[in-house]
Structure formats: C-alpha cells, structure tokens
Amino acid sequence: MADFKTLVAHCKEYGFVYQSSEIYDGLSAAYDYGPYGVELKNNIKRYWWEAMTRLHANIVGIDASIFMAPQTWKASGHVDAFNDPLVDNKQSKKRYRADQLIEGYAEKVLAKADKEVTKAKKRFGESFDEAQYRSTNARVMGYQEKADAALKRMNDALGAGDMQALYDLIVELEIADPESGSREWTDVRQFNLMFSTQLGAVAGEAGKIYLRPETAQGIFVNFLNVQKSTRQKLPFGIAQIGKAFRNEIVARQFIFRMREFEQMEMQFFVKPGTELDWYARWKATRMQWHRTLGHPESKLRFHDHENLAHYANAAVDIEFDFPFGFRELEGIHSRTDFDLAAHQELSGKKLQYFDAETQESYVPYVVETSIGCDRMFLAVMSHALQEETVPDADGKDSTRTVLKIPAPLAPVKVAVLPLLKNREELTSKAAAVFDALKLHFPCQYDEKDAIGRRYRRQDAIGTPYCVTVDFDTLEDDTVTVRDRDTLEQVRLPIAEVAAHVREQVSLEQLLAQLV
Ligand code: ATP
C-alpha cells in the first residue's frame, strides 16, 4: 500500500481528485473529482445502488432534494444536538475537536502497549501467545487501562453534553497541541455542524434553511409516500445517494473528511421487536459487500459504539485500514422509531404502517446503513495503489506504479493501442477495434510514445486490459490482450475480445457474489 502523500499526489497527477478552486489557492476541505475520479466514483455508486435496489426486491430508491423544510432538522435533533466539541489552543490559535484530541492521546498510549507486544514477540519467537501476553503483562495491561479509562470518561462527558468535563480531562491528561506543544486551551464549547442559508427573498430567521447534513431525513419524511406508491409491505427499505454538508471543525485528511460530501444511505423499515435480528443481518450483508471487492480481512473490522445515541439500541462502524490507520467507513445503526415518531409528532401527520396480519397500525423501527461515497473511494484507491517490480520489455527488472482497482470499478476498461503510430494500416485497424469496443465498455485509444510507456500510463489509471494491434492483426484479425495484474498476454480473435473482457469487468460478476 502506498503512503498517504503518494496517494494524494497520484490522485492529482492522474486526474482522479483535485483541490477545489486550486487557482485561488483552494477552498479547504472541498475537492473536485477529475475525469477518472468521476468514473470510479460513479462505478462505486452503481455497485452500491444495484446491490441494494436490484438484489433486493423490497428495497427501492429515491432522490430527495437537498433543501428541506427547516422543521425537519428540529424533529431530527440536528438543530439542538448536531454539535462537535470545539477547543482552541491559545498559543497556536489552532482549532481542534476535543474528542479527537483525547482519542489521539489514547492512540498514543495504546501504541506504547503495541511496542511492548512487538518486543515480546521478538523475544519469545514461535511460542508467543499475544492474547495471553496482553491479558497478563502488567505494563501492557496498564497502558490498556489508561487508554480505556480516558475514552470512557470522554464518552460519558460527550453523552452528557458536559463540556467542562471534556476540558478537565484534556488538562488532566496533559494533552498538548500536536503542532505547537502548548497546553494552553480555551474552554470547550459546542459547535453546530449544519450550514444554513436563506430561502428566496425572506429575510432573517423566517427564511433560514439548512443544507442537509445527512440524506436519511429525506427518506424518513417520504416513508409513507414510498410505501403507498410502491405497495411495499414490512420489512422494506429505501435507498438514496446524495450530497450532504457538514461544517467540520477540523478537516485535514483529504477526501476522508470534507465539508461537502456524498452519502449512500439505506433505511430499512421493520416491525418493532425484529430490529436486532435485521441489524445483525445488515451487518453481515454490508461486510460481504466490502469483502467482495477483494479487500483482505485484515483491512476491515467492526467497531461497536461504546456510547449509543439515546435513540439507538445498537450501532456499529465498519472501519477500514486507511493509510492513516483504522477509521470509520460505514455506520450501521438500529435507530428504533426515533425519527419517524419525531416527524409524526412535529408535523402532526401520521407516519404509521397498517399491518394487515395483526390488524394494527404502528410506527416501524429502522435499521440504517450509511456509507460515505468519498471515503469508499479513498478506501478503494488506497488499497489499489501499488509500486511493484516487474520485468520490462527486455526482461530487465523495472518498477511500475499500478492501480489494482477491482476491474468492475475501473474508470477505463480497455485501452486500444496500435503497435506503431506512424503506420497508417495499424492505426486505422486499431481505430476500428476501438470503435467496436467502445459500444461495450469505456475505452481509450492511445498511440503516443513507445508501447511500454503506454502500458505504464494505463497501469497508473487502473485499466484492466490493453489490446495491442500489431502486424499479425492485419493478417489474421487477432490482437494481444494484456492483463494489468498478471501481465499475461493472450492472443485472441478481435471478435472474442469483448466477451473475454466482459467476464472480468462486468458489475454483474461482483453482484453474483452477493446473492
Ligand atoms: P465521523 O465520526 O468520522 O465524523 P460520523 O459518525 O459523524 O463520522 P455518520 O453521521 O455516521 O458519520 O455518517 C455516515 C457516513 O458518512 C460515515 O460513515 C462516513 O463514511 C460519511 N461521512 C460523514 N462525515 C463525512 C465527512 N465530513 N466527509 C466525508 N464523509 C463523511
């Protein structure tokens, strides 16, 4: 796996992601997707969308507007409670999230425990039992307890909305500004993450509306519309992909944390009492969706929430091992009837389901799966980008940079390359092959530079297949098809290329592994 700096540079150089408004020195925490980036992102969205709506007869999609009636955010709790605890360092004037400072402290303490474990592993060799060592070695246990205690106090303080307790904890743990080393902190205060703007010509509070901080509420307020117009019976789900906006306090990790980002959310409506069963099923289903992309087991893990929101009765994150460590990629939450009941109360409109079996009306419970499209993009890219040593055309070792993106997600599926640029019979034949293939897949035609350099360019954008048109092609209508990952080249009749490629690049072959 490439380091983070290399990854960010690669994204820019090869047209995947650019800083927003770069010519004006950029806008912080906003990014633009380039020509290959948008294709990869669209393919990720399609993989998610089809896995939800095509594979499940009882999941349907919607596309709600970003602006919603402002009461929506009152009912959902976002106006009053969608806050992050903010703290400034007095000396450096840098702004931080108090919880992230404390988590950073805990991570450092745990890293010391890991160091002890690594040392012991070396000392004991083969016979080393890590689990036993962690549960018996006094020093390791001490570090673990110290980190756990800090996180528990933090979670309690967050749960109670007690900003003074967070401040006290930062002072007590002697946490210093990671940049300046200063320990002079301001009070911790709540900062609401919603962006607001004005609606039409109405001035002041009356015209204040919000940019949605999550897509889920567009689903909740449409629950009955969808249920009635599609005649769904419980359990059923509504899926949506769309932009969300959060005025994040600290956003320094490229597209991992942005102020404008995209979510893929699915709310699954179930009969009360069955939600924990569905929660377990969705956990498994979502993990399988990730694993099917070929991410190794060691890169994905579940992380249960220690501190449940008051309306949730179970919540877990799927974490991915990004270049900067394990972080949340997706959340799965059992949200009870909190949202529907709150909207029902504030709007005065019934949001109930009539259960024909039991002849009762009730507010359904909800299990949601919520994943950031941009974080998924980063996960795919960070796993795919590799440097490897491979034999070049003369059989000598050379290094290549390759994006091993799962073929169904790759931006370009096939590159068509005439062996030489200055031979009209080759270029016109290659152009004809390109014209035939472009009807089936996103293709590229490239005739510039030596063939080896063209292969490297395609490797760098993750193209799974390169089709080369040479002099034999003119004789027998066959071409060589080079595989990005194995570098194997097979000779195939032109008429068979599409079928050969389709087997590997079609989304259907991923979907087939999910059913
Ligand atoms: P975090 O703890 O990292 O701030 P969260 O718990 O607030 O995330 P959720 O509200 O559960 O996130 O949102 C669901 C998903 O949306 C997350 O798992 C993540 O993939 C994505 N997401 C949330 N905030 C951002 C952001 N600022 N930039 C990009 N993606 C985001």
Side-chain angles (χ1 to χ4, degrees):
M1 183 170 77
D3 64 56
F4 195 37
K5 239 170 116 182
T6 310
L7 179 68
V8 175
H10 191 92
C11 280
K12 179 176 177 196
E13 186 178 349
Y14 287 94
F16 283 85
V17 182
Y18 314 120
Q19 170 77 63
S20 157
S21 330
E22 198 187 74
I23 59 166
Y24 294 107
D25 297 331
L27 178 70
S28 90
Y31 290 89
D32 299 338
Y33 286 84
Y36 300 119
V38 68
E39 296 289 348
L40 171 57
K41 197 173 174 213
N42 283 342
N43 291 341
I44 289 172
K45 288 194 254 185
R46 234 164 48 80
Y47 176 43
W48 184 88
W49 187 260
E50 302 291 342
M52 285 294 177
T53 64
R54 187 147 48 127
L55 299 190
H56 299 97
N58 61 347
I59 298 183
V60 291
I62 63 162
D63 182 16
S65 66
I66 287 172
F67 293 139
M68 300 181 69
Q71 298 94 309
T72 309
W73 307 109
K74 187 76 192 156
S76 69
H78 284 80
V79 171
D80 297 319
F82 192 52
N83 301 316
D84 273 345
L86 172 155
V87 64
D88 290 310
N89 187 276
K90 287 185 188 161
Q91 213 174 58
S92 70
K93 308 271 182 268
K94 285 257 168 213
R95 182 155 280 189
Y96 294 94
R97 254 172 68 179
D99 54 333
Q100 287 179 348
L101 283 178
I102 298 164
E103 278 168 0
Y105 164 89
E107 263 175 35
K108 267 196 202 151
V109 174
L110 288 177
K112 287 186 191 163
D114 289 345
K115 225 171 158 184
E116 292 286 333
V117 172
T118 312
K119 269 201 295 192
K121 217 183 247 169
K122 270 197 197 137
R123 210 166 51 233
F124 292 110
E126 288 283 291
S127 61
F128 185 64
D129 180 341
E130 182 172 332
Q132 195 196 0
Y133 192 78
R134 280 187 185 275
S135 60
T136 51
N137 180 274
R139 209 175 295 169
V140 172
M141 283 162 66
Y143 286 134
Q144 186 70 48
E145 276 162 22
K146 210 166 152 186
D148 289 348
L151 291 176
K152 174 157 190 335
R153 279 181 64 187
M154 177 190 84
N155 281 324
D156 290 348
L158 286 173
D162 187 345
M163 297 299 108
Q164 182 63 40
L166 284 178
Y167 175 81
D168 293 344
L169 189 56
I170 289 173
V171 172
E172 214 179 294
L173 298 174
E174 300 185 342
I175 294 176
D177 179 347
E179 300 223 349
S180 68
S182 152
R183 288 189 199 140
E184 285 181 54
W185 298 105
T186 62
D187 286 343
V188 179
R189 50 197 193 284
Q190 298 275 25
F191 177 77
N192 192 288
L193 300 185
M194 279 200 295
F195 282 101
S196 64
T197 186
Q198 291 297 123
L199 180 72
V202 187
E205 272 301 303
K208 184 173 175 182
I209 57 165
Y210 298 99
L211 273 71
R212 66 180 177 198
E214 62 175 29
T215 59
Q217 299 303 325
I219 293 178
F220 289 126
V221 299
N222 276 303
F223 159 70
L224 267 193
N225 280 339
V226 174
Q227 192 262 322
K228 289 196 167 142
S229 53
T230 59
R231 293 175 296 116
Q232 293 287 345
K233 290 201 175 69
L234 289 192
F236 77 95
I238 305 178
Q240 177 170 219
I241 298 177
K243 289 262 178 158
F245 303 83
R246 295 183 187 179
N247 201 0
E248 299 279 359
I249 297 170
V250 191
R252 294 201 191 102
Q253 283 159 322
F254 192 40
I255 56 172
F256 179 82
R257 189 177 299 285
M258 297 195 282
R259 299 207 166 91
E260 171 183 343
F261 58 100
E262 217 162 352
Q263 288 186 316
M264 307 191 282
E265 296 198 296
M266 194 281 297
Q267 315 290 322
F268 200 68
F269 301 91
V270 304
K271 189 172 176 179
T274 65
E275 73 278 6
L276 290 180
D277 182 34
W278 283 108
Y279 170 75
R281 288 203 220 179
W282 276 110
K283 264 178 77 173
T285 304
R286 293 304 303 147
M287 191 54 112
Q288 195 197 354
W289 184 88
H290 289 282
R291 293 244 159 88
T292 299
L293 289 177
H295 292 146
E297 296 229 343
S298 61
K299 285 204 158 243
L300 287 158
R301 70 181 187 197
F302 285 118
H303 178 251
D304 284 312
H305 285 205
E306 284 99 29
N307 199 20
L308 288 179
H310 60 280
Y311 53 82
N313 62 4
V316 69
D317 294 336
I318 293 179
E319 293 187 337
F320 183 81
D321 189 8
F322 289 98
F324 38 83
F326 273 99
R327 294 286 186 284
E328 173 177 343
L329 169 61
E330 170 159 7
I332 299 160
H333 313 122
S334 174
R335 299 177 68 115
T336 68
D337 62 354
F338 173 81
D339 302 85
L340 287 180
H343 287 305
Q344 177 169 270
E345 189 176 335
L346 192 64
S347 68
K349 308 272 163 46
K350 273 212 160 117
L351 287 175
Q352 299 192 351
Y353 172 78
F354 177 71
D355 191 328
E357 235 172 70
T358 60
Q359 295 287 306
E360 287 171 304
S361 287
Y362 51 80
V363 178
Y365 270 34
V366 171
V367 175
E368 92 171 341
T369 72
S370 172
I371 173 169
C373 184
D374 313 273
R375 284 193 193 174
M376 189 61 203
F377 182 106
L378 189 59
V380 170
M381 285 294 277
S382 62
H383 180 58
L385 185 60
Q386 295 174 23
E387 278 225 336
E388 31 171 61
T389 307
V390 291
D392 64 13
D394 315 322
K396 287 198 203 107
D397 277 355
S398 71
T399 50
R400 69 161 180 166
T401 300
V402 56
L403 267 180
K404 293 190 173 174
I405 299 175
L409 302 186
V412 177
K413 309 297 185 199
V414 185
V416 181
L417 317 170
L419 186 62
L420 299 171
K421 176 184 171 183
N422 49 8
R423 295 293 289 263
E424 204 278 328
E425 64 274 41
L426 288 179
T427 54
S428 62
K429 184 74 182 172
V433 173
F434 172 76
D435 281 342
L437 288 175
K438 76 181 180 192
L439 294 174
H440 301 277
F441 320 103
C443 295
Q444 227 176 46
Y445 174 86
D446 190 5
E447 58 177 30
K448 197 169 171 283
D449 298 323
I451 194 82
R453 288 188 63 177
R454 281 181 272 163
Y455 284 154
R456 293 290 183 268
R457 274 204 293 269
Q458 295 301 329
D459 287 345
I461 61 166
T463 307
Y465 293 104
C466 286
V467 168
T468 304
V469 171
D470 55 23
F471 291 103
D472 289 343
T473 312
L474 307 177
E475 303 292 316
D476 61 7
D477 257 356
T478 63
V479 287
T480 58
V481 181
R482 169 191 182 265
D483 183 298
R484 176 195 69 195
D485 298 342
T486 62
L487 297 174
E488 260 171 38
Q489 304 208 13
V490 290
R491 191 103 207 156
L492 286 181
I494 292 170
E496 288 175 21
V497 173
H500 175 82
V501 170
R502 184 173 299 112
E503 222 171 85
Q504 297 304 320
V505 308
S506 79
L507 192 60
E508 283 69 21
Q509 66 94 3
L510 280 185
L511 296 176
Q513 296 173 57
L514 298 180
V515 289

